[in-house]
Amino acid sequence: MASNGDTERQFRVGKETICGLGSFHKTLDHNEFGEVDAEQFQTLVSATIGDTPFSAVGRFDDGTARLTNPQAGLAKDRLTNEPFNYEMPPAPAVLSSSTATEMAELYWMACLRDLSFTDFETSPVINDAAKEMDILFRKAVKDTSDVGHLRPGVDLPGSAKTLSKITSQNVFRMGLPGEEIGPLVSQFFVRDIQFGVQKIDQRLQPYKSEADYLTDFKSWLE
Protein backbone atom coordinates (compact mmCIF):
# COMPACT_ATOMS: atom_id res chain seq x y z
CA MET A 1 0.00 0.00 0.00
CA ALA A 2 1.28 3.44 -0.87
CA SER A 3 1.99 5.71 2.09
CA ASN A 4 -0.02 8.86 2.68
CA GLY A 5 2.96 10.29 4.57
CA ASP A 6 1.39 10.29 8.04
CA THR A 7 3.89 7.87 9.59
CA GLU A 8 6.76 10.24 8.68
CA ARG A 9 4.91 13.50 9.35
CA GLN A 10 6.00 15.52 12.40
CA PHE A 11 4.15 18.32 14.17
CA ARG A 12 5.55 21.07 16.37
CA VAL A 13 3.49 21.66 19.53
CA GLY A 14 5.24 24.30 21.61
CA LYS A 15 8.77 22.99 22.04
CA GLU A 16 7.77 19.37 21.45
CA THR A 17 7.91 17.37 18.22
CA ILE A 18 4.87 15.11 17.91
CA CYS A 19 4.50 12.17 15.53
CA GLY A 20 1.95 9.45 14.84
CA LEU A 21 -1.12 11.66 14.50
CA GLY A 22 -3.67 9.80 12.42
CA SER A 23 -1.75 6.52 12.71
CA PHE A 24 -2.19 3.34 14.77
CA HIS A 25 -0.18 3.22 17.99
CA LYS A 26 -2.20 1.28 20.55
CA THR A 27 -0.24 -0.56 23.30
CA LEU A 28 2.67 1.91 23.11
CA ASP A 29 3.69 4.47 25.73
CA HIS A 30 1.89 7.83 25.62
CA ASN A 31 2.31 11.09 27.51
CA GLU A 32 -0.37 12.88 29.53
CA PHE A 33 -1.85 14.34 26.35
CA GLY A 34 -2.31 10.99 24.62
CA GLU A 35 0.65 11.56 22.29
CA VAL A 36 2.68 8.47 21.45
CA ASP A 37 6.33 8.00 22.38
CA ALA A 38 8.20 8.92 19.18
CA GLU A 39 10.92 6.28 19.45
CA GLN A 40 8.46 3.43 20.10
CA PHE A 41 6.24 4.59 17.25
CA GLN A 42 9.08 4.64 14.73
CA THR A 43 10.14 1.17 15.90
CA LEU A 44 6.58 -0.08 15.32
CA VAL A 45 6.53 1.45 11.84
CA SER A 46 9.85 -0.23 11.06
CA ALA A 47 8.57 -3.58 12.35
CA THR A 48 5.42 -3.49 10.19
CA ILE A 49 7.53 -3.35 7.02
CA GLY A 50 9.88 -6.08 8.20
CA ASP A 51 12.96 -3.97 8.93
CA THR A 52 12.82 -4.47 12.71
CA PRO A 53 11.67 -7.49 14.78
CA PHE A 54 8.41 -6.93 16.64
CA SER A 55 10.19 -7.97 19.84
CA ALA A 56 12.06 -4.65 19.66
CA VAL A 57 8.86 -2.65 19.96
CA GLY A 58 8.18 -3.73 23.54
CA ARG A 59 5.15 -3.22 25.76
CA PHE A 60 3.09 -6.00 24.18
CA ASP A 61 3.32 -8.15 27.32
CA ASP A 62 3.53 -5.34 29.84
CA GLY A 63 -0.04 -5.22 31.10
CA THR A 64 -1.47 -3.73 27.91
CA ALA A 65 -3.81 -5.09 25.27
CA ARG A 66 -1.91 -7.24 22.82
CA LEU A 67 -1.91 -6.63 19.08
CA THR A 68 -3.96 -9.06 16.98
CA ASN A 69 -1.87 -10.67 14.23
CA PRO A 70 0.44 -7.64 13.71
CA GLN A 71 2.62 -9.53 11.22
CA ALA A 72 -0.22 -10.57 8.89
CA GLY A 73 1.12 -8.33 6.13
CA LEU A 74 4.48 -10.10 6.26
CA ALA A 75 3.05 -13.62 5.97
CA LYS A 76 3.96 -16.14 3.28
CA ASP A 77 1.43 -18.22 1.34
CA ARG A 78 2.08 -21.28 -0.84
CA LEU A 79 -1.44 -21.49 -2.32
CA THR A 80 -2.05 -17.95 -3.58
CA ASN A 81 -0.48 -14.51 -3.70
CA GLU A 82 1.30 -13.41 -0.56
CA PRO A 83 -0.41 -10.61 1.42
CA PHE A 84 2.19 -7.96 0.59
CA ASN A 85 1.46 -8.44 -3.13
CA TYR A 86 -2.07 -7.07 -2.71
CA GLU A 87 -2.66 -3.33 -3.07
CA MET A 88 -5.19 -1.00 -1.53
CA PRO A 89 -5.44 2.80 -1.71
CA PRO A 90 -3.93 4.71 1.21
CA ALA A 91 -6.18 6.37 3.76
CA PRO A 92 -6.69 10.14 3.55
CA ALA A 93 -3.87 12.05 5.23
CA VAL A 94 -4.58 13.42 8.69
CA LEU A 95 -4.39 17.05 7.51
CA SER A 96 -6.37 16.52 4.29
CA SER A 97 -9.76 17.86 3.24
CA SER A 98 -11.01 14.27 3.07
CA THR A 99 -10.19 13.58 6.73
CA ALA A 100 -11.80 16.87 7.80
CA THR A 101 -14.90 15.98 5.78
CA GLU A 102 -15.14 12.50 7.27
CA MET A 103 -14.86 14.00 10.77
CA ALA A 104 -17.69 16.42 9.95
CA GLU A 105 -19.76 13.47 8.73
CA LEU A 106 -19.14 11.57 11.98
CA TYR A 107 -20.23 14.59 14.04
CA TRP A 108 -23.41 14.87 11.98
CA MET A 109 -24.06 11.17 12.60
CA ALA A 110 -23.61 11.75 16.33
CA CYS A 111 -26.01 14.71 16.30
CA LEU A 112 -28.61 12.68 14.41
CA ARG A 113 -28.14 9.31 16.10
CA ASP A 114 -31.57 9.45 17.77
CA LEU A 115 -33.43 10.39 14.58
CA SER A 116 -35.45 7.56 13.05
CA PHE A 117 -34.93 6.60 9.40
CA THR A 118 -38.65 7.22 8.89
CA ASP A 119 -38.07 10.92 9.68
CA PHE A 120 -35.15 11.44 7.29
CA GLU A 121 -37.32 12.64 4.39
CA THR A 122 -39.05 15.40 6.36
CA SER A 123 -36.39 16.39 8.89
CA PRO A 124 -34.93 19.88 8.32
CA VAL A 125 -31.83 18.84 10.25
CA ILE A 126 -31.15 15.99 7.82
CA ASN A 127 -31.47 18.47 4.96
CA ASP A 128 -28.92 20.73 6.69
CA ALA A 129 -26.56 17.78 7.07
CA ALA A 130 -26.97 16.74 3.43
CA LYS A 131 -26.34 20.28 2.17
CA GLU A 132 -23.16 20.69 4.22
CA MET A 133 -21.86 17.22 3.35
CA ASP A 134 -22.48 17.87 -0.36
CA ILE A 135 -20.27 20.99 -0.17
CA LEU A 136 -17.54 19.31 1.89
CA PHE A 137 -17.42 16.10 -0.16
CA ARG A 138 -17.05 18.07 -3.40
CA LYS A 139 -14.12 19.91 -1.88
CA ALA A 140 -12.57 16.65 -0.64
CA VAL A 141 -12.87 14.95 -4.05
CA LYS A 142 -10.99 17.83 -5.68
CA ASP A 143 -8.12 17.60 -3.15
CA THR A 144 -5.93 15.55 -5.50
CA SER A 145 -2.79 16.69 -3.66
CA ASP A 146 -3.73 14.03 -1.08
CA VAL A 147 -2.92 10.58 -2.46
CA GLY A 148 -5.67 9.06 -0.31
CA HIS A 149 -8.42 11.55 -1.11
CA LEU A 150 -12.04 10.37 -1.26
CA ARG A 151 -13.25 9.12 -4.65
CA PRO A 152 -16.78 9.10 -6.11
CA GLY A 153 -17.94 5.67 -7.16
CA VAL A 154 -15.63 4.10 -4.56
CA ASP A 155 -16.03 5.97 -1.27
CA LEU A 156 -19.00 8.17 -2.22
CA PRO A 157 -22.18 8.05 -4.30
CA GLY A 158 -21.58 8.63 -8.01
CA SER A 159 -19.58 7.36 -10.94
CA ALA A 160 -15.81 7.24 -11.32
CA LYS A 161 -15.78 10.84 -12.58
CA THR A 162 -18.87 12.47 -11.08
CA LEU A 163 -20.00 12.84 -7.47
CA SER A 164 -23.74 12.42 -7.02
CA LYS A 165 -25.51 15.18 -5.15
CA ILE A 166 -25.76 14.37 -1.44
CA THR A 167 -29.41 14.44 -0.39
CA SER A 168 -31.54 13.20 2.49
CA GLN A 169 -31.95 9.99 0.46
CA ASN A 170 -28.26 9.03 0.21
CA VAL A 171 -26.59 10.94 3.06
CA PHE A 172 -24.18 8.81 5.16
CA ARG A 173 -23.91 6.22 2.37
CA MET A 174 -21.15 4.92 0.10
CA GLY A 175 -23.17 4.92 -3.11
CA LEU A 176 -23.59 1.19 -3.67
CA PRO A 177 -26.24 0.13 -6.24
CA GLY A 178 -29.72 0.99 -4.98
CA GLU A 179 -28.52 3.32 -2.21
CA GLU A 180 -29.80 6.40 -4.01
CA ILE A 181 -33.29 5.44 -2.85
CA GLY A 182 -34.07 5.32 0.82
CA PRO A 183 -33.25 5.38 3.60
CA LEU A 184 -34.03 1.68 3.82
CA VAL A 185 -32.91 -1.15 6.07
CA SER A 186 -31.98 -4.43 4.41
CA GLN A 187 -34.07 -7.43 5.40
CA PHE A 188 -30.80 -9.24 6.12
CA PHE A 189 -30.22 -6.88 9.06
CA VAL A 190 -33.51 -7.71 10.77
CA ARG A 191 -33.83 -11.45 10.12
CA ASP A 192 -32.50 -14.02 12.57
CA ILE A 193 -29.21 -15.69 11.62
CA GLN A 194 -28.84 -19.45 11.98
CA PHE A 195 -25.26 -20.16 13.10
CA GLY A 196 -25.03 -23.93 13.50
CA VAL A 197 -27.45 -24.81 16.29
CA GLN A 198 -27.51 -21.22 17.50
CA LYS A 199 -30.05 -18.64 16.33
CA ILE A 200 -28.86 -15.02 16.54
CA ASP A 201 -31.31 -12.15 16.90
CA GLN A 202 -29.84 -9.20 14.97
CA ARG A 203 -32.05 -6.57 16.60
CA LEU A 204 -30.04 -4.20 18.80
CA GLN A 205 -30.92 -2.48 22.03
CA PRO A 206 -30.01 1.17 21.36
CA TYR A 207 -28.12 3.40 23.75
CA LYS A 208 -30.08 5.78 25.92
CA SER A 209 -31.37 8.64 23.80
CA GLU A 210 -29.97 12.17 24.17
CA ALA A 211 -27.03 10.89 26.23
CA ASP A 212 -23.56 12.13 25.29
CA TYR A 213 -20.30 10.35 26.08
CA LEU A 214 -16.58 11.27 25.97
CA THR A 215 -17.37 14.97 26.13
CA ASP A 216 -14.41 15.85 28.37
CA PHE A 217 -10.68 15.34 27.84
CA LYS A 218 -10.20 12.93 30.76
CA SER A 219 -12.89 10.54 29.50
CA TRP A 220 -11.45 10.64 25.98
CA LEU A 221 -7.92 9.99 27.19
CA GLU A 222 -8.97 7.00 29.31
Side-chain angles (χ1 to χ4, degrees), residues 8-191:
E8 296 84 28
R9 190 168 285 115
Q10 295 183 336
F11 302 83
R12 292 293 296 177
V13 181
K15 297 181 179 180
E16 301 292 328
T17 299
I18 306 302
C19 66
L21 296 186
S23 298
F24 178 93
H25 43 74
K26 288 182 180 179
T27 80
L28 304 183
D29 285 325
H30 296 76
N31 63 18
E32 68 271 27
F33 304 113
E35 297 159 349
V36 66
D37 178 86
E39 183 176 351
Q40 284 193 9
F41 176 71
Q42 294 303 330
T43 303
L44 176 62
V45 171
S46 179
T48 59
I49 59 178
D51 291 344
T52 300
F54 269 88
S55 58
V57 181
R59 289 283 294 176
F60 297 139
D61 294 307
D62 190 22
T64 65
R66 302 190 66 179
L67 297 181
T68 301
N69 201 9
Q71 301 183 74
L74 305 175
K76 301 289 186 178
D77 197 312
R78 294 183 177 182
L79 298 179
T80 184
N81 290 330
E82 294 172 341
F84 54 78
N85 286 325
Y86 291 96
E87 290 286 338
M88 63 182 295
V94 69
L95 293 181
S96 68
S97 297
S98 290
T99 294
T101 298
E102 289 187 314
M103 287 300 301
E105 183 181 40
L106 289 174
Y107 280 117
W108 268 118
M109 288 180 177
C111 291
L112 297 167
R113 66 182 181 270
D114 294 324
L115 185 68
S116 171
F117 275 177
T118 57
D119 297 326
F120 268 36
E121 189 172 358
T122 58
S123 170
V125 185
I126 279 289
N127 287 330
D128 290 342
K131 289 178 181 178
E132 180 173 11
M133 296 317 303
D134 186 69
I135 294 172
L136 294 179
F137 277 130
R138 292 187 187 281
K139 180 180 179 181
V141 166
K142 293 178 180 178
D143 183 19
T144 55
S145 61
D146 173 32
V147 67
H149 70 91
L150 295 172
R151 293 169 172 80
V154 178
D155 309 297
L156 302 168
S159 65
K161 296 183 178 180
T162 306
L163 175 67
S164 295
K165 183 175 179 60
I166 306 298
T167 68
S168 60
Q169 296 284 298
N170 63 12
V171 68
F172 308 139
R173 296 185 171 204
M174 292 180 61
L176 297 173
E179 284 190 343
E180 68 278 2
I181 301 172
L184 305 172
V185 178
S186 169
Q187 61 176 321
F188 296 109
F189 285 132
V190 295
R191 296 179 61 179

